[in-house]
Amino acid sequence: MVPVLIAVVLAFSRPSVAAGDTEQRFRALSFGRTTSDYVQFQPDDMSPFQSSFTACMWMKRAHDASNPIVLHYHPSDEIMIIIGSNGYWNSVNKGFQLTGKFPELGEWFHYAMSWVSGGTQRVYINGVEIGSTSAASSNLRLGGNIALGINEQSTKYTKYIFGGQLHKLNMFSEELSASQIREMSEAGMCSVVEEKYETRKLKWEQILTEQRYGNVTEFSPESCLPDHIKYLEARLNKTESELGLTNSRLLDTEIKLKSTEHQLQTVSTALNSTVKDLTDTETQLNKTQTELAEKNSRLKETETKLKSTLKELLTVSTTLNHTQSLLEDARRLETVSRWDVLFTSPYLNKLFTTELYDQLVNSWDMMEKFIGVNITEGLVQHFKDHHEECENCEDDYDKNGHL
């Protein structure tokens, strides 16, 4: 199991590490021993470090140059940061040498340098302060490049070659205390203590993604291998656990999918049935609309006929009323006698003259005797009562019309 994990560790050491990847705690850079072996980049933003900062890193000397440079930030000729691996360079805007106080070749050690503009500059080795000096009052300028492993402006000089190994270079935008720096050193190369600081603005995991030149390679320090193996085992266990959960969720999802497919099939069948019902309903509706149109047409015809019938009925009613009037007149005429003519305006209350007599002479010759007598209702009623059936009753009246 261990050889396999070591192979995995070696495999993990080859690709670049993205910013924020936990794997960065196990990555280091190894620099070749020529002037062509270095890392150079322009940092995104150095403004957080203008008035104060702390630079921390793990390094191992592997090349005995006279003035080896690990980090060089050079925005101008007067103001710069230079950190070396043997104590010669500990500069922020002015020189500060601690030669003879650094570990020997081939030994990993923790290095930290804090600086406050116009305050104090301090250097720590393995969590212990080994020297300090007053800091220049000038703020750090912006706009320069950072070079790792070489002098940023004088790459041709071999005396500046680092040629060693570098791990977890981070810069904080504050002056860290001695206890904080000691904590980082005692936590070891493979810890992540520094990641808890929000002031960590220049990060090692970002540096690992920058452009490399010459022979600069990534690797996992041997001291980190046990921790790395434990980390990979924990990560594998976590991945297997997550895979188990994922498989369980996948099975649940498949069951839900099948259930959903069944429900979908049921809904589809119901939908097809609904569509058929809708089609039948539409057909029936069209048929009903056709029948309704026909009935409306017949209704209009019936209304026309009804209007015609009402008109005819009105005519018949008028005719009937007229007929009834005629019938009543006819019934009334059944009781009319010839004497009723005397009730009419030409005779009633008129002087009975020869002209009136001449009008009636053909029927009523007897009326000749009454010429000169007023035709009154009494006289007419007398004729009706006594002479209705008498055709030769003239002799019963005297010349003056008296019986």
Side-chain angles (χ1 to χ4, degrees):
M1 180 66 177
V2 172
V4 174
L5 288 175
I6 293 175
V8 172
V9 170
L10 294 176
F12 267 99
S13 69
R14 284 192 279 272
S16 298
V17 179
D21 193 330
T22 308
E23 286 284 331
Q24 66 85 19
R25 78 182 71 169
F26 305 116
R27 305 285 183 163
L29 291 179
S30 179
F31 291 80
R33 300 179 183 181
T34 72
T35 57
S36 300
D37 306 325
Y38 59 94
V39 176
Q40 188 176 41
F41 61 95
Q42 185 171 25
D44 293 335
D45 184 14
M46 291 292 285
S47 61
F49 313 118
Q50 280 188 286
S51 60
S52 65
F53 70 83
T54 301
C56 298
M57 66 199 76
W58 289 85
M59 66 175 77
K60 181 167 76 169
R61 297 170 58 196
H63 177 61
D64 193 17
S66 60
N67 304 318
I69 295 178
V70 178
L71 180 148
H72 188 194
Y73 174 65
H74 189 265
S76 68
D77 291 337
E78 296 81 14
I79 302 174
M80 64 184 72
I81 302 173
I82 304 178
I83 296 175
S85 60
N86 67 352
Y88 184 85
W89 297 108
N90 303 280
S91 302
V92 184
N93 299 337
K94 74 173 189 178
F96 177 37
Q97 295 185 6
L98 295 170
T99 305
K101 295 186 178 182
F102 275 50
E104 298 296 326
L105 293 174
E107 180 183 343
W108 280 104
F109 63 93
H110 185 263
Y111 174 92
M113 182 176 69
S114 63
W115 171 82
V116 178
S117 176
T120 304
Q121 178 180 336
R122 306 176 191 276
V123 175
Y124 300 81
I125 296 294
N126 292 329
V128 178
E129 182 179 331
I130 63 170
S132 64
T133 185
S134 60
S137 59
S138 301
N139 283 351
L140 196 65
R141 292 189 182 179
L142 307 179
N145 291 329
I146 289 180
L148 303 180
I150 198 68
N151 186 309
E152 196 271 333
Q153 284 193 321
S154 304
T155 58
K156 64 181 181 179
Y157 296 106
T158 58
K159 65 180 180 179
Y160 299 128
I161 295 174
F162 169 46
Q165 295 175 348
L166 182 65
H167 185 43
K168 289 173 56 174
L169 166 58
N170 295 285
M171 286 187 68
F172 304 82
S173 60
E174 63 174 330
E175 179 187 21
L176 296 180
S177 67
S179 61
Q180 290 172 319
I181 293 172
R182 185 170 56 254
E183 179 188 20
M184 288 185 191
S185 174
E186 293 176 352
M189 292 177 60
C190 305
S191 71
V192 290
V193 175
E194 64 278 352
E195 294 182 8
K196 70 181 180 180
Y197 292 95
E198 294 183 0
T199 57
R200 190 172 69 108
K201 301 300 182 181
L202 181 60
K203 303 176 181 179
W204 178 240
E205 56 267 33
Q206 295 170 335
I207 294 173
L208 288 173
T209 66
E210 299 296 348
Q211 181 66 48
R212 303 169 194 170
Y213 300 89
N215 183 22
V216 180
T217 58
E218 272 187 38
F219 73 101
S220 291
E222 293 180 3
S223 60
C224 288
L225 282 177
D227 290 334
H228 199 177
I229 291 172
K230 290 179 182 178
Y231 168 77
L232 290 177
E233 288 177 339
R235 185 173 176 180
L236 180 61
N237 292 334
K238 181 180 179 182
T239 301
E240 289 177 345
S241 177
E242 291 176 349
L243 181 60
L245 291 175
T246 301
N247 287 334
S248 177
R249 291 174 185 170
L250 181 59
L251 291 175
D252 291 341
T253 302
E254 288 177 348
I255 294 173
K256 291 179 181 179
L257 179 60
K258 289 181 180 179
S259 175
T260 302
E261 288 176 346
H262 177 70
Q263 293 175 359
L264 182 61
Q265 183 63 38
T266 302
V267 171
S268 178
T269 302
L271 180 60
N272 291 335
S273 176
T274 302
V275 170
K276 183 178 182 302
D277 293 343
L278 180 60
T279 302
D280 294 342
T281 301
E282 288 179 346
T283 302
Q284 184 63 37
L285 178 61
N286 292 334
K287 181 179 178 181
T288 302
Q289 288 177 338
T290 301
E291 293 176 354
L292 180 61
E294 293 176 355
K295 290 183 179 180
N296 285 335
S297 177
R298 285 188 225 160
L299 179 61
K300 288 182 180 179
E301 293 177 0
T302 302
E303 287 177 346
T304 301
K305 290 180 181 179
L306 179 60
K307 289 179 181 179
S308 177
T309 302
L310 289 174
K311 184 177 179 182
E312 292 176 358
L313 182 61
L314 181 61
T315 302
V316 170
S317 178
T318 303
T319 303
L320 179 60
N321 290 335
H322 179 66
T323 302
Q324 287 177 341
S325 177
L326 293 177
L327 181 60
E328 289 177 359
D329 289 345
R331 287 175 179 171
R332 185 171 56 81
L333 289 175
E334 287 179 356
T335 61
V336 172
S337 68
R338 59 186 175 178
W339 306 110
D340 285 317
V341 72
L342 297 179
F343 283 113
T344 62
S345 58
Y347 304 102
L348 188 62
N349 296 319
K350 301 290 181 62
L351 183 66
F352 192 57
T353 63
T354 300
E355 290 77 9
L356 291 178
Y357 171 75
D358 288 339
Q359 294 177 8
L360 301 171
V361 67
N362 293 330
S363 300
W364 299 341
D365 290 339
M366 67 176 183
M367 296 296 292
E368 181 179 5
K369 296 178 181 181
F370 294 94
I371 295 173
V373 177
N374 285 334
I375 299 175
T376 62
E377 290 184 8
L379 181 61
V380 173
Q381 189 63 44
H382 172 77
F383 283 128
K384 289 181 68 175
D385 294 340
H386 299 285
H387 299 286
E388 183 63 33
E389 301 299 330
C390 182
E391 295 294 338
N392 300 306
C393 298
E394 293 90 346
D395 294 340
D396 294 333
Y397 296 90
D398 59 19
K399 191 173 184 177
N400 292 322
H402 299 102
L403 292 173

